[in-house]
Amino acid sequence: MMNGEQERMRQLKAQLRARMSRIRGSIPPERHVSLSGRACGHAAAWLIGEQIRSMLIYVPFRSELDTKPLVEEAWRAGIDVYVPRCLPEDRSMTIHLLQQWDELKTGAYGIMEPDPRRRPAEADDFVPEAVIMPGLAFDLNGGRLGYGGGYYDRLHERFSSGGKRRGPRWAGIGFGEQVVEQVPMETTDARLQVLITEQGVRKMNGEAEDGTDAF
């Protein structure tokens, strides 16, 4: 049973999700394309500058920032691109290499996901060098508000287990309109190391370079 503080946090997150969903969904199509392209350009420069050789990234759905330009730039730069496949039965993810768009098919929640018959999942101990996540809201202290399913929480736990010496860089990508003063965060919530918008790349929480305190 939730205590009073947990219920208050749940309500704060639900209210912010509803508000930010409306804001993100109201971005006009032309502006959505333009801002997505600019954010992806900043993200590509960050990946190349940091010499990141592999990344896990979401396939865009509905009003999420369009990451397809970033995926294609990563392919051109020789960066291995992995995408997740959601398993609703336990709210976990499997990770699959993606080398061309026709390796995707409609999966859980209507999201385009890798076809496991064409691209089998990587081993559970595989860890990419960067994880680039969507979200509904972000703040400049590494806070991120997701969709409430806990998929990336479980992925973080998986990547942090087993005594791995170094985890991935945890980055959020979204529109500037999604950045708020403060995302409601519980003490157990981990934080992003990087936030990418059309305005540029912001690094934070540098003490978490091993990924143990990142989300």
Side-chain angles (χ1 to χ4, degrees), residues 130-179:
V131 178
I132 300 181
M133 295 175 287
L136 283 168
F138 306 94
D139 66 30
L140 298 181
N141 295 309
R144 170 187 173 269
L145 182 68
Y147 303 112
Y151 283 90
Y152 283 102
D153 291 308
R154 291 171 182 82
L155 190 67
H156 176 263
E157 291 173 5
R158 174 175 145 191
F159 285 170
S160 301
S161 67
K164 297 181 179 65
R165 191 172 64 170
R166 182 183 177 91
R169 313 280 184 89
W170 295 87
I173 190 168
F175 302 109
E177 286 97 323
Q178 295 177 253
V179 180

Side-chain angles (χ1 to χ4, degrees), residues 9-210:
M9 182 64 67
R10 186 192 68 79
Q11 291 179 1
L12 284 173
K13 288 183 176 181
Q15 291 167 2
L16 185 57
R17 282 192 183 100
R19 180 166 68 88
M20 299 310 294
S21 182
R22 289 192 300 270
I23 290 173
R24 195 179 69 182
S26 69
I27 297 174
E30 299 82 1
R31 180 170 168 78
H32 190 284
V33 170
S34 174
L35 297 181
S36 292
R38 286 164 55 188
C40 286
H42 292 308
W46 171 68
L47 290 168
I48 293 168
E50 295 290 326
Q51 299 184 325
I52 290 171
R53 296 164 295 179
S54 63
M55 69 168 176
L56 174 68
I57 190 167
Y58 68 94
V59 178
F61 182 62
R62 293 181 177 168
S63 65
E64 290 176 339
L65 185 142
D66 186 355
T67 56
K68 289 180 180 178
L70 176 55
V71 169
E72 292 176 356
E73 183 59 35
W75 285 337
R76 286 190 289 269
I79 298 169
D80 291 334
V81 176
Y82 295 85
V83 295
R85 178 171 176 259
C86 295
L87 304 179
E89 56 268 24
D90 62 359
R91 294 190 175 185
S92 66
M93 291 175 171
T94 53
I95 297 172
H96 305 253
L97 181 67
L98 182 71
Q99 293 185 313
Q100 52 192 29
W101 293 118
D102 66 4
E103 294 169 351
L104 300 174
K105 69 173 188 176
T106 304
Y109 313 109
I111 300 170
M112 296 299 290
E113 295 183 337
D115 183 346
R117 294 172 298 181
R118 296 190 61 186
R119 285 292 178 184
E122 298 296 315
D124 284 349
D125 62 355
F126 169 75
V127 179
E129 294 185 4
V131 178
I132 300 181
M133 295 175 287
L136 283 168
F138 306 94
D139 66 30
L140 298 181
N141 295 309
R144 170 187 173 269
L145 182 68
Y147 303 112
Y151 283 90
Y152 283 102
D153 291 308
R154 291 171 182 82
L155 190 67
H156 176 263
E157 291 173 5
R158 174 175 145 191
F159 285 170
S160 301
S161 67
K164 297 181 179 65
R165 191 172 64 170
R166 182 183 177 91
R169 313 280 184 89
W170 295 87
I173 190 168
F175 302 109
E177 286 97 323
Q178 295 177 253
V179 180
V180 299
E181 183 175 351
Q182 184 176 9
V183 171
M185 300 279 285
E186 298 174 73
T187 56
T188 55
D189 288 339
R191 294 180 179 272
L192 298 170
Q193 295 166 286
V194 178
L195 175 60
I196 304 164
T197 71
E198 73 277 4
Q199 299 165 356
V201 176
R202 182 184 178 94
K203 298 179 183 179
M204 58 203 85
N205 302 319
E207 70 280 3
E209 282 300 309
D210 63 354

